[in-house]
Amino acid sequence: MLNFSFQNPTRIHFGEGQIAAISHEIPLDARVLLVYGGGSIKSNGVYQQVSDALTEHTWFEFSGIEPNPTYDTLMQAQTIIKAENIDYLLAVGGGSVVDGAKFIAAAALYEGNSEGNDPWDILAKQQAFTKALPIGAVLTLPATGSESNGNSVVTRDGNKLPFSSPLVRPLFAVLDPGVTLSLSDRQIGNGVVDAFIHTIEQYLTYSVNGKVQDRFSEGLLQTLIEEGPKALAPATNGDLEVRANIMWSATMALNGLIGAGVPQDWSTHMIGHELTGAFGIDHARTLSIVLPAVMKVRKEQKREKLLQYAARVWQITDGDDNARIDKAISLTEEFFETMQVPTRLSHVDLGSKDIDLLIERLEQHGMTALGENDDITLAISRKILTQAL
């Protein structure tokens, strides 16, 4: 196992009715900006619950944060922050809203560098920052784990870029499985697949004898495989226990725990980001397209872990090594199809003619040495995308 330091200070309030916990989590003298997306929280009752919890607080609101939040939208919040002396953010929504709040929080106090103070430098130049507004989160769509980590991804002019800092990790997060009952099938499928692939990125690398991390990861993968389809099936899509297990799995998939002390890949994500940036494809759907291709192209490099994945997650023990690996990859694709997401570029109307642009974007963004060994070159990324056709 690799050396690591681990701390996750986000306080989690899990379960029905826990939105009320906001009232004692946010200081009464805080000036709060509630940030959210397209307004679905007003139709599903979440907005009212949040409003009730903030009765004793001074608060304002900013809406319109889109899936794959954009720089231009997020910067509009700075006007309210300055005008109303906002000193606390409350993100209510899915991972995109929480990601957006993180950038808003960093940009609000960003002092820049000798070249200027454009907050986009936080992403484009990975410019460090030393302070950010405090953030709380009410999660409505389990998927990204953003509610208890310091990661964020923001898009500007077709460039989808990540940044990470402990300064923007939410101080608390409310996870009420009941609020997920209003999600569409597309949102459910995307969320389950996103959590699944977050887990895979930290598991399907090479062994360092991290038995605890591996067993945690395998448990999360099995839970998502078992519960994900139930959330789509008419007979069980209203089952709160199903939703609870999915919600907690998504948080655990990317709160730092399973990735501590083990190598991590993230090539699927980096390639997937270019698909979103260039063509506007849902984040999770880019991942479901790219991951099977990564598994196939990197079969030799990931052989030991692929065999472990086949045996422990899918209970595949018959056949030679290659047959077991191929079967595990096939079952992974079948699971994605059950969750109603694409597994080929052709499923989203893309073809070989589009690969050059994606490779150009990877090069432009410095994504030229990806994977757990930094050995996925642009040529190998091209092979992965070609495999995904």
Side-chain angles (χ1 to χ4, degrees):
M1 192 186 308
L2 307 177
N3 291 353
F4 67 90
S5 300
F6 173 73
Q7 179 185 23
N8 191 319
T10 302
R11 183 180 293 106
I12 302 291
H13 299 284
F14 192 100
E16 289 188 88
Q18 290 279 46
I19 291 176
I22 295 169
S23 62
H24 59 77
E25 279 287 359
I26 301 177
L28 283 174
D29 61 352
R31 296 179 66 81
V32 183
L33 182 62
L34 167 65
V35 299
Y36 58 98
S40 62
I41 63 169
K42 292 188 175 180
S43 60
N44 63 16
V46 173
Y47 181 90
Q48 187 60 53
Q49 291 183 65
V50 171
S51 298
D52 293 344
L54 292 176
T55 300
E56 303 298 321
H57 291 77
T58 299
W59 61 283
F60 307 85
E61 61 183 85
F62 175 79
S63 64
I65 297 178
E66 55 274 272
N68 300 305
T70 65
Y71 172 85
D72 291 342
T73 295
L74 300 176
M75 288 302 293
Q76 293 172 26
Q78 301 303 324
T79 302
I80 302 175
I81 289 172
K82 290 180 174 61
E84 304 297 346
N85 296 313
I86 299 297
D87 56 15
Y88 206 108
L89 298 181
L90 179 61
V92 181
S96 290
V97 171
V98 182
D99 275 17
K102 290 174 181 178
F103 180 74
I104 293 170
L109 303 181
Y110 182 63
E111 295 176 343
N113 54 36
S114 59
E115 299 175 6
N117 63 346
D118 183 357
W120 181 243
D121 287 346
I122 294 171
L123 297 117
K125 299 180 180 179
Q126 293 295 294
Q127 184 67 41
F129 55 95
T130 58
K131 52 189 174 179
L133 294 178
I135 304 169
V138 176
L139 188 68
T140 62
L141 199 168
T144 69
S146 190
E147 67 278 1
S148 65
N149 65 43
N151 306 328
S152 176
V153 183
V154 177
T155 299
R156 186 183 192 185
D157 299 329
N159 300 291
K160 183 176 180 180
L161 301 178
F163 79 97
S164 182
S165 169
L167 295 173
V168 294
R169 184 194 301 269
L171 300 179
F172 74 90
V174 177
L175 280 66
D176 179 349
V179 309
T180 72
L181 293 174
S182 62
L183 296 176
S184 67
D185 285 357
R186 187 183 185 104
Q187 290 171 316
I188 293 167
N190 283 356
V192 168
V193 168
D194 200 1
F196 185 94
I197 298 177
H198 284 163
T199 306
I200 286 283
E201 295 273 34
Q202 300 163 88
Y203 169 77
L204 199 66
T205 55
Y206 57 85
S207 178
V208 292
N209 203 27
K211 292 184 177 181
V212 173
Q213 297 92 324
D214 281 1
R215 293 294 190 186
F216 267 127
S217 294
E218 289 154 3
L220 292 172
L221 294 170
Q222 288 178 318
T223 299
L224 292 164
I225 289 166
E226 291 170 6
E227 302 300 294
K230 294 178 186 176
L232 293 177
T236 49
N237 65 7
D239 189 326
L240 277 178
E241 292 299 324
V242 169
R243 300 304 181 100
N245 278 299
I246 291 172
M247 194 169 220
W248 191 227
S249 293
T251 296
M252 293 295 289
L254 202 56
N255 67 359
L257 180 65
I258 65 170
V262 296
Q264 302 184 27
D265 184 347
W266 300 107
S267 60
T268 295
H269 271 70
M270 296 306 102
I271 297 171
H273 285 171
E274 304 305 345
L275 280 164
T276 297
F279 301 106
I281 302 165
D282 297 4
H283 172 62
R285 291 170 175 245
T286 70
L287 304 182
S288 63
I289 291 167
V290 175
L291 177 64
V294 169
M295 289 172 148
K296 294 168 186 175
V297 171
R298 304 298 283 174
K299 183 187 296 186
E300 290 306 316
Q301 292 78 9
K302 297 178 180 289
R303 176 170 290 271
E304 182 182 356
K305 272 302 190 69
L306 278 166
L307 288 168
Q308 181 177 313
Y309 171 68
R312 293 188 183 178
V313 176
W314 295 108
Q315 291 77 52
I316 301 168
T317 56
D318 294 333
D320 62 25
D321 287 0
N322 285 332
R324 282 181 280 151
I325 289 172
D326 291 345
K327 181 63 174 176
I329 296 172
S330 176
L331 287 174
T332 304
E333 291 179 300
E334 288 178 23
F335 169 60
F336 291 166
E337 289 162 3
T338 299
M339 296 312 301
Q340 303 175 14
V341 296
T343 57
R344 296 284 188 279
L345 287 170
S346 59
H347 294 169
V348 292
D349 299 323
L350 297 179
S352 56
K353 68 183 187 309
D354 302 300
I355 292 177
D356 283 348
L357 172 61
L358 295 169
I359 297 299
E360 288 172 11
R361 291 287 181 88
L362 284 167
E363 184 172 21
Q364 176 186 341
H365 298 142
M367 302 298 171
T368 58
L370 302 176
E372 60 269 28
N373 292 307
D374 296 327
D375 60 352
I376 296 181
T377 62
L378 290 175
I380 295 174
S381 289
R382 183 179 293 277
K383 288 182 181 179
I384 290 167
L385 287 164
T386 302
Q387 178 68 57
L389 290 170

